[in-house]
Amino acid sequence: MTLDAGSGADRSFLFVLGSSRSGGNSEILAREAAAHLPAGVPRRWVDLNRLALPDFQDGRHETAGHRAGEVEEELLRATVEATDVVIVSPLYWYTLSAQTKRYLDYWSGWLNVPGSDFKERMAGGTLWGVTAMADDEHAVADGLTTALHHSAAYLRMRFGGVLTGTASRPGRIRADERAMDRARTFFAGDAPLARFPHERPAGLTA
């Protein structure tokens, strides 16, 4: 796996590309947002479509311990070392791509890897999303947004929201001026602690 890294100290961004198309509209939008991060902030890019990562096999209740391969181990390391994880996935059938969902499924396994402390290490970090879709009504991406928000809530992460744009043909995202404008300040936005709908912020009473 090849990870492109920058330099810096306080925050580090991991961009997880989940499209079946290299250089797709979601990636273009994410790279525009990344270009406006402060100088010195490390950023890494992982293209799931280029990784020899097998389908996730749930072995949580098996007696034999799971033996992670080299690619999985490096992906786990990159994930827990980042302060900010950015899921970059086109909207496929109103949700995440298969590649992206497989990556998130691996999170389930990493929760149970002895010594990984995955949940503890992810807590307090920030999860973001970037997606491009063919529809002008971005509410159709609510399912994708909910999946990422609830994943962040389970791990006690912050959630920075989802940067959305409209495009279908390759490169057309650049014509969505509102999306490109939003990208320039996306990572400067507020990222509150994610909470499930049934949870109340501390200090609030009925």
Side-chain angles (χ1 to χ4, degrees), residues 174-190:
R174 295 186 180 92
D176 187 342
E177 295 181 1
R178 291 183 61 185
M180 299 300 281
D181 285 344
R182 232 188 115 208
R184 296 181 183 104
T185 58
F186 181 57
F187 293 125
D190 185 34

Side-chain angles (χ1 to χ4, degrees), residues 2-23:
T2 301
L3 302 178
D4 303 326
S7 60
D10 295 334
R11 296 175 73 185
S12 58
F13 280 71
L14 174 66
F15 291 84
V16 182
L17 305 178
S19 175
S20 59
R21 175 192 297 160
S22 179

Side-chain angles (χ1 to χ4, degrees), residues 1-6 12-18 26-37 41-48 51 75 78-79 82 84-89 103 128-130 163 183 186-187:
M1 175 171 58
T2 301
L3 302 178
D4 303 326
S12 58
F13 280 71
L14 174 66
F15 291 84
V16 182
L17 305 178
S26 297
E27 180 179 344
I28 292 171
L29 192 58
R31 289 191 180 275
E32 179 65 26
H36 294 274
L37 286 169
V41 172
R43 60 213 69 177
R44 298 180 175 183
W45 297 84
V46 176
D47 188 342
L48 297 175
L51 298 186
L75 191 56
T79 301
D84 296 73
V85 177
V86 187
I87 301 297
V88 185
S89 170
Y103 166 65
W128 309 80
V130 179
L163 174 62
F186 181 57
F187 293 125

Side-chain angles (χ1 to χ4, degrees), residues 53-191:
L53 187 68
D55 288 338
F56 173 68
Q57 307 248 336
D58 189 350
R60 288 174 291 176
H61 303 293
E62 298 177 3
T63 55
H66 169 67
R67 307 187 84 179
E70 182 180 347
V71 171
E72 181 186 344
E73 287 184 349
E74 190 171 354
L75 191 56
L76 168 59
R77 186 163 53 250
T79 301
V80 298
E81 288 178 353
T83 62
D84 296 73
V85 177
V86 187
I87 301 297
V88 185
S89 170
L91 187 70
Y92 286 158
W93 287 106
Y94 310 105
T95 188
L96 299 158
S97 70
Q99 293 92 330
T100 307
K101 182 59 169 61
R102 179 176 58 185
Y103 166 65
L104 293 177
D105 285 347
Y106 267 91
W107 288 17
S108 300
W110 296 340
L111 285 167
N112 297 278
V113 173
S116 73
D117 298 323
F118 183 73
K119 191 169 186 177
E120 291 77 9
R121 295 183 71 176
M122 296 297 284
T126 305
L127 187 65
W128 309 80
V130 179
T131 187
M133 67 198 78
D135 205 305
D136 290 325
E137 296 295 333
H138 291 186
V140 301
D142 285 353
L144 180 150
T145 300
T146 298
L148 293 181
H149 175 272
H150 287 4
S151 297
Y154 180 78
L155 293 174
R156 298 302 178 200
M157 299 178 71
R158 297 181 177 277
F159 184 59
V162 178
L163 174 62
T164 58
T166 300
S168 181
R169 292 182 178 277
R172 290 299 299 273
I173 191 65
R174 295 186 180 92
D176 187 342
E177 295 181 1
R178 291 183 61 185
M180 299 300 281
D181 285 344
R182 232 188 115 208
R184 296 181 183 104
T185 58
F186 181 57
F187 293 125
D190 185 34

